[in-house]
Amino acid sequence: MSKTPKPDELSKVDYTPPKTGWMDTPAEFKQGMWCYGSKPKNLETLEFPNPRQWSPADEDWKLPENWQEILLNGLKERLDKYRSFKVFMDICVRCGACADKCHFFIGSGDPKNMPVLRAELLRSVYRGNFTTAGKILGKLAGARKLTYSVLKEWWYYFFQCTECRRCSVFCPYGIDTAEITMMARELLNLLGLNTDWISGPAANCYMKGNHLGLEPHTIVGNLEYMLDDIETITGIKIKPSFNRKGAEILFVTPSGDLFADPGTYTAMGYLMLFHELGLDYTWSTYASEGGNFGFFTSNELAKRLNSKIYAEAKRLGVKWILGGECGHMWRVLNQYMDMWNGPADFLLVPKSPVTGTVFENAKSTKMVHIAEFTADLIKHGKLKLDPKRNDHLKVTFHDSCNTARGMGIFEEPRYIIKNVCNHFYEMDEHTIREKTFCCGSGSGLNAGENMELRMRGGLPRANAVKDVVEKYGVNMLANICAIDRAALPAILDYWVPGTGCTGVHELVANALVMKGEKERTTNLRGEPLNGMEGQE
Amino acid sequence: MNAILSLIAVIALILIALLGVKTANLHSLFGIAVPYAAMAIFLIGVISRVLKWGRSPVPFCIPTTCGQQKSLPWIKQSKLDNPSTTSGVIGRMLLEVLLFRSLFSNTAFELRNGPKVAYGSTRWLWLGGLAFHWSFLVVLIRHLRLFTEPVPACLSSLEVLDGFLQIGAPGLLLSGVVLLLAVTYLFLRRVLIPEVRYISLAADYFPLFLILSIALSGIIMRYFTKVDIVGVKALTLGLVSFNAVIPEGISVVFYIHLFLVSALLAYIPFSKIMHLGGVLLSPTRNMPNNSRMERHINPWNYPVHVHTYEEYENDFREKMKSAGIPVEKE
Ligand code: HEM
Ligand code: SF4
Ligand code: SF4
């Protein structure tokens, strides 16, 4: 693995396009910008084609003889299945409004990271094979043949898109390059061309229920560590249940929060909140992953992984489902789950047992976002909160791409944060809400070997953080996404050292005054509370 | 290079009309047959393209949400940017189509030393695009006076409005000038902005040159060569009533103008100009974000191979039991 250049070196980005036209500039695989190839055993587990040992750096990718035919048939099939794809192939006017909206373009200056050009990589092949003008006029009509070099270019650049949809916000027709990337990745998967960091976790999700491959006893064990910590900090012993039939609520959250800091503090937050409410809920070890690595692979695999949530809810006989803080998990739950694995007619319309609020907005999927749930609790005064405990924090909020542009959950987390923290500051308006910048590691790009790519992609986000760090002394970046919690610490360390990263429910739990708790001397991270150096 | 090729293509079209009418005297071909053929290609082409799009289903509810979702009653929903109802979607679409709302929010960034990424609003493309489309529309509507007799009052008043500057005789019409300026702007930004030049295909320059020359030939006819408008109207009225005859003495500039328009019409169905239809069918804009409230149906949803709970328990039963997790089969 190559060494990632230093920030001052990396931030000298040259935006001048190459002298040669993009069709005549083959992709050059730069170290640190791509992920390792999928391993055969994971593809076998997932029943995907062409499992074999290969490396993207190899000349020969060991493809089946008729790989072009497979891809073109796959392309045709998807044009017939998705109106979005077909329309987006036809109507781009190349106005360039999306060009500088991609964090990867801003951070790398590579013109093929302009959403429009990323899409053209595939569109050109579409034109060459499926349109009259393209077949006759060829390059003049922006058409080209599907060659080995084009295929490699696809692989390189469609795994440099985090499917964040920022480009789609600015396009006058809503052309969503994320949608095109999703199609391209499906096509690549027809040839066994996935990355190791996606197919491995996906295989884990399939066999073990979560992307980290935590087996049932490990999940329980990991939570027990957290429970011990909670007891040390609050004096309260919590006993959650697992796979319990007859619970009112099934709780599903990304498994990342059961595994590593700072996500574990968010998981502790859930445990404390639910305990304080006396919620009748259960965890599941079978449906132990809200995140969906299938979504970065193919629609079919995403559906296969997602199916566990409803299946488990049905088996356990719960009334409704509560979902934890996660980005793409919520895009999937909001925009796909019901169409794949619904109808959830065996569940009831979610109703908060604490406030009686009926979540009409989830009356079909029966799945509520924890930020909606908690905001409702706070609004009804059901939580005793002491925001002073978070006074050492100056917090800003990062909207995750998927919950922002594939759902629109903006106010709920902000309302919560403002109730549990006294110091909250927004970042530059061009970098939040629907215009939020990706962490740069989404859609399965959160690997180690592509660190330079991640740092480049993370530049716009981190830079907006740096701005509030300098202006207001912000020291904590809150978010509602497990990938953020896994990816942002490294990005912040690199671009804005000294800035922490937290889930919203960690902040909640720190402020939460629990019945029968002892006086807290530390926060969930074990840092002393009485210092309170943030007090002014 | 792409620009030059497109320019050559448009010049070729002009020459074809010029030679065809001036030298070969093919007046009825260029005055009658070609326009009919172009119109037929346009209509059939546009309809079949839209039907083709329509044949592909919309399996998932994938609006790009650009504002607060509908959730708790006390949280204010962004009804236009994140609509959850049909009326919200209609509002969103109207603003897109009539005012290019997404383009309005366009930004530009700058990477300064530090590093510091700075953002600012940029509305030039929005302004140029809006000026272009609206003036194009006005010009198009004004042309209806050639196809109607008597000319409806609303058309005449539009023309009065359009000519409110009252410069010269015949009065200068604003729409034509704006169209010319806007097309010029769109062309210039295409060649001057490096990123946009890099992504531009011949198919991006061609319609711009085509429209530019249509506008120019129109302006020449109106203000400079003063075409025989009575003769033109006889021809156009003939065309719409399906018994066209070629009147004597219409200048060749008119035939060039007509031929270029025909070329544009015939070109539209095969080109990106179809975006007018596509934007209406774009699922990221024309769907409500209500997929947690109402079930959308994916017409090709099919059963998939899943890893069932039973299989999972079989894999881990002993581990589950030792961790105190309830199991189905002891
Ligand atoms: C409905 C919303 C529409 C939007 C948001 C829209 C937007 C745009 C934009 C951004 C361009 C690109 C300009 C450039 O950089 O070259 C363009 C070009 C163009 N549009 Fe539209 N447009 C719309 C509808 C229409 C309609 C109804 C027509 C009718 C024919 C039309 C005809 C054209 C033409 C002829 C061009 C210029 C030629 C070209 O560059 O291809 N547009 N439009
Ligand atoms: S903003 Fe839309 S139409 Fe313009 S170049 Fe990008 S994808 Fe194409
Ligand atoms: S979806 Fe995001 S990462 Fe992908 S091209 Fe668009 S802006 Fe870039």
Side-chain angles (χ1 to χ4, degrees):
Chain A
M1 205 170 79
S2 67
K3 195 105 185 62
T4 307
K6 294 268 169 298
D8 51 343
E9 213 179 307
L10 208 69
S11 60
K12 289 193 194 84
V13 184
D14 183 4
Y15 297 101
T16 329
K19 294 252 165 0
T20 46
W22 61 267
M23 281 195 204
D24 305 317
T25 316
E28 180 197 336
F29 279 47
K30 296 203 184 86
Q31 280 297 328
M33 297 292 279
W34 48 273
C35 295
Y36 299 144
S38 43
K39 297 204 176 84
K41 70 168 182 352
N42 292 323
L43 294 191
E44 275 155 18
T45 303
L46 296 169
E47 299 148 22
F48 268 57
N50 203 20
R52 79 236 172 270
Q53 199 67 48
W54 73 291
S55 163
D58 291 346
E59 197 68 37
D60 177 11
W61 281 4
K62 302 183 195 158
L63 303 178
E65 205 61 50
N66 61 339
W67 64 270
Q68 276 148 316
E69 188 190 332
I70 295 176
L71 281 191
L72 292 177
N73 288 341
L75 185 58
K76 167 94 178 50
E77 184 192 333
R78 280 155 189 81
L79 289 167
D80 292 340
K81 275 167 119 175
Y82 293 89
R83 186 179 300 164
S84 51
F85 188 37
K86 200 161 179 177
V87 169
F88 295 165
M89 282 296 106
D90 282 332
I91 63 170
C92 172
V93 298
R94 284 163 298 279
C95 68
C98 61
D100 59 352
K101 303 306 181 284
C102 180
H103 47 285
F104 285 122
F105 176 67
I106 296 176
S108 74
D110 185 337
K112 285 176 189 162
N113 273 326
M114 296 193 272
V116 43
L117 211 45
R118 195 189 309 285
E120 290 283 307
L121 300 180
L122 203 153
R123 215 178 258 132
S124 51
V125 171
Y126 159 76
R127 287 192 207 104
N129 290 281
F130 299 98
T131 69
T132 322
K135 281 184 203 159
I136 299 170
L137 296 173
K139 209 167 153 186
L140 262 187
R144 62 176 178 171
K145 294 241 157 46
L146 179 55
T147 61
Y148 219 95
S149 149
V150 168
L151 178 71
K152 291 193 167 177
E153 190 180 43
W154 280 10
W155 193 87
Y156 190 66
Y157 287 104
F158 288 116
F159 287 104
Q160 288 192 21
C161 165
T162 47
E163 304 180 359
C164 79
R165 309 187 102 193
R166 192 169 192 268
C167 43
S168 164
V169 169
F170 294 92
C171 173
Y173 322 116
I175 293 177
D176 182 9
T177 305
E179 189 78 2
I180 295 168
T181 296
M182 283 156 68
M183 296 300 140
R185 289 194 185 179
E186 286 210 4
L187 294 174
L188 291 165
N189 269 287
L190 296 177
L191 303 176
L193 297 173
N194 207 338
T195 72
D196 180 40
W197 218 85
I198 295 173
S199 55
N204 278 339
C205 288
Y206 191 63
M207 294 308 288
K208 301 190 174 169
N210 59 75
H211 87 268
L212 293 161
L214 306 174
E215 299 190 351
H217 56 292
T218 317
I219 295 180
V220 175
N222 283 8
L223 279 177
E224 269 163 7
Y225 278 122
M226 297 182 205
L227 296 170
D228 288 345
D229 283 351
I230 293 173
E231 191 175 358
T232 313
I233 296 162
T234 65
I236 295 176
K237 191 152 185 62
I238 298 178
K239 238 188 126 26
S241 61
F242 297 90
N243 301 10
R244 175 166 62 92
K245 287 194 176 172
E248 180 182 354
I249 299 166
L250 168 65
F251 180 62
V252 179
T253 198
S255 66
D257 287 346
L258 308 182
F259 184 68
D261 302 348
T264 43
Y265 307 123
T266 304
M268 286 160 76
Y270 301 144
L271 289 162
M272 290 162 67
L273 176 69
F274 299 158
H275 172 83
E276 180 62 14
L277 298 171
L279 211 61
D280 176 15
Y281 84 106
T282 183
W283 297 77
S284 164
T285 60
Y286 170 63
S288 48
E289 179 66 84
N292 190 324
F293 277 73
F295 195 60
F296 312 144
T297 303
S298 74
N299 169 70
E300 181 174 310
L301 184 59
K303 176 179 167 177
R304 288 165 69 194
L305 300 184
N306 174 265
S307 70
K308 298 186 186 199
I309 298 179
Y310 278 154
E312 186 71 340
K314 196 165 187 174
R315 184 181 75 88
L316 299 177
V318 300
K319 295 207 176 96
W320 57 278
I321 311 169
L322 184 60
E325 298 181 9
C326 182
H328 75 277
M329 155 177 163
W330 271 99
R331 169 134 201 249
V332 164
L333 300 180
N334 183 36
Q335 302 198 320
Y336 292 86
M337 174 160 75
D338 210 2
M339 286 141 262
W340 286 331
N341 296 310
D345 44 13
F346 50 91
L347 296 172
L348 301 180
V349 176
K351 179 174 166 185
S352 169
V354 188
T355 64
T357 298
V358 176
F359 293 93
E360 291 287 343
N361 64 327
K363 66 176 189 253
S364 179
T365 58
K366 278 78 166 189
M367 192 146 180
V368 174
H369 192 292
I370 185 127
E372 297 167 344
F373 180 75
T374 305
D376 174 64
L377 294 171
I378 295 176
K379 183 74 180 176
H380 285 84
K382 299 292 183 189
L383 299 181
K384 192 159 175 227
L385 298 166
D386 178 7
K388 277 211 297 299
R389 289 192 195 150
N390 284 322
D391 268 358
H392 57 299
L393 300 179
K394 298 201 171 177
V395 180
T396 189
F397 182 69
H398 160 65
D399 294 277
S400 308
C401 324
N402 284 285
T403 48
R405 292 180 282 258
M407 187 172 183
I409 184 163
F410 297 120
E411 295 307 332
E412 296 87 341
R414 285 179 169 77
Y415 178 80
I416 299 172
I417 294 173
K418 286 177 192 162
N419 275 281
V420 300
C421 299
N422 287 320
H423 308 296
F424 174 71
Y425 305 91
E426 290 279 16
M427 286 180 275
D428 183 339
E429 55 164 335
H430 295 103
T431 69
I432 55 170
R433 296 178 186 262
E434 77 278 4
K435 299 197 183 84
T436 189
F437 273 109
C438 185
C439 61
S441 306
S443 82
L445 302 188
N446 191 19
E449 63 272 18
N450 61 340
M451 203 47 94
E452 179 173 336
L453 174 72
R454 291 177 49 199
M455 294 308 127
R456 289 188 181 281
L459 170 66
R461 170 74 298 150
N463 204 255
V465 175
K466 188 164 164 231
D467 184 48
V468 285
V469 167
E470 284 163 5
K471 271 197 195 122
Y472 310 113
V474 161
N475 54 14
M476 189 54 82
L477 178 64
N479 57 67
I480 48 169
C481 174
I483 293 186
D484 283 335
R485 290 190 284 275
L488 280 171
I491 291 160
L492 294 173
D493 268 354
Y494 183 85
W495 291 113
V496 228
T499 317
C501 175
T502 179
V504 169
H505 278 77
E506 178 187 343
L507 299 173
V508 171
N510 272 325
L512 185 68
V513 181
M514 298 172 74
K515 288 183 280 290
E517 71 177 15
K518 65 177 194 193
E519 189 178 347
R520 295 197 202 174
T521 53
T522 69
N523 62 17
L524 295 186
R525 301 190 177 195
E527 299 156 353
L529 265 187
N530 38 9
M532 297 210 174
E533 50 289 347
Q535 241 166 13
E536 283 139 307
Chain B
M1 188 59 198
N2 282 335
I4 293 168
L5 285 171
S6 299
L7 185 61
I8 292 173
V10 174
I11 292 173
L13 289 175
I14 296 174
L15 286 179
I16 290 172
L18 186 68
L19 295 177
V21 174
K22 258 257 161 36
T23 317
N25 263 319
L26 298 168
H27 288 81
S28 3
L29 178 67
F30 285 88
I32 301 173
V34 167
Y36 273 139
M39 200 60 186
I41 296 174
F42 171 76
L43 289 176
I44 297 169
V46 167
I47 292 170
S48 66
R49 180 67 83 93
V50 171
L51 289 179
K52 228 170 164 178
W53 285 335
R55 265 208 301 280
S56 296
V58 181
F60 303 105
C61 179
I62 54 163
T64 305
T65 57
C66 298
Q68 171 62 38
Q69 65 164 355
K70 177 176 161 61
S71 69
L72 298 161
W74 48 272
I75 293 179
K76 190 163 174 288
Q77 181 199 357
S78 239
K79 291 203 165 126
L80 284 171
D81 293 316
N82 191 347
S84 57
T85 59
T86 309
S87 55
V89 168
I90 292 174
R92 187 182 198 187
M93 291 304 293
L94 280 178
L95 287 174
E96 282 298 351
V97 172
L98 299 178
L99 296 175
F100 297 7
R101 191 140 183 269
S102 296
L103 268 190
F104 186 73
S105 64
N106 198 9
T107 59
F109 84 97
E110 197 186 329
L111 179 66
R112 304 192 186 126
N113 269 340
K116 161 90 188 133
V117 198
Y119 309 88
S121 288
T122 166
R123 307 236 154 93
W124 288 109
L125 177 58
W126 171 77
L127 196 68
L130 215 56
F132 167 72
H133 286 84
W134 278 104
S135 57
F136 197 95
L137 184 67
V138 172
V139 170
L140 214 66
I141 295 175
R142 274 205 290 102
H143 278 71
L144 291 181
R145 90 199 133 99
L146 294 175
F147 301 96
T148 46
E149 190 58 53
V151 177
C154 55
L155 281 184
S156 317
S157 35
L158 176 70
E159 187 148 343
V160 172
L161 220 69
D162 201 359
F164 82 102
L165 285 183
Q166 303 204 332
I167 303 174
L172 182 74
L173 296 178
L174 217 49
S175 52
V177 180
V178 174
L179 180 63
L180 213 56
L181 289 177
V183 175
T184 309
Y185 163 74
L186 289 178
F187 169 70
L188 286 179
R189 73 180 283 281
R190 229 176 238 298
V191 285
L192 294 181
I193 304 176
E195 284 97 43
V196 183
R197 185 172 58 229
Y198 198 64
I199 59 177
S200 291
L201 304 171
D204 298 312
Y205 294 106
F206 179 68
L208 288 174
F209 286 132
L210 195 54
I211 293 168
L212 193 69
S213 31
I214 291 172
L216 275 175
S217 55
I219 285 173
I220 291 173
M221 271 191 293
R222 181 176 169 92
Y223 303 105
F224 301 102
T225 65
K226 308 263 159 92
V227 75
D228 170 17
I229 193 73
V230 179
V232 168
K233 184 144 185 182
L235 174 59
T236 51
L237 280 177
L239 282 173
V240 281
S241 57
F242 292 103
N243 60 28
V245 277
I246 297 290
E248 281 301 303
I250 306 181
S251 89
V252 70
V253 185
F254 170 76
Y255 287 98
I256 293 174
H257 188 69
L258 187 61
F259 186 64
L260 294 175
V261 171
S262 304
L264 180 64
L265 277 177
Y267 176 71
I268 286 175
F270 308 99
S271 73
K272 67 173 196 180
I273 305 178
M274 279 304 294
H275 62 272
L276 69 130
V279 66
L280 299 175
L281 289 180
S282 175
T284 56
R285 289 286 186 272
N286 73 5
M287 301 189 85
N289 177 28
N290 64 353
S291 40
R292 278 201 290 158
M293 294 172 237
E294 322 242 338
R295 181 150 194 257
H296 290 244
I297 300 294
N298 171 0
W300 49 260
N301 198 22
Y302 54 92
V304 293
H305 188 194
V306 300
H307 190 65
T308 62
Y309 175 78
E310 200 182 359
E311 291 168 292
Y312 172 82
E313 190 180 299
N314 286 342
D315 290 347
F316 296 111
R317 185 167 296 109
E318 289 317 311
K319 289 173 174 167
M320 290 172 79
K321 276 158 70 178
S322 67
I325 302 171
V327 290
E328 298 272 349
K329 281 198 214 118
E330 283 300 328

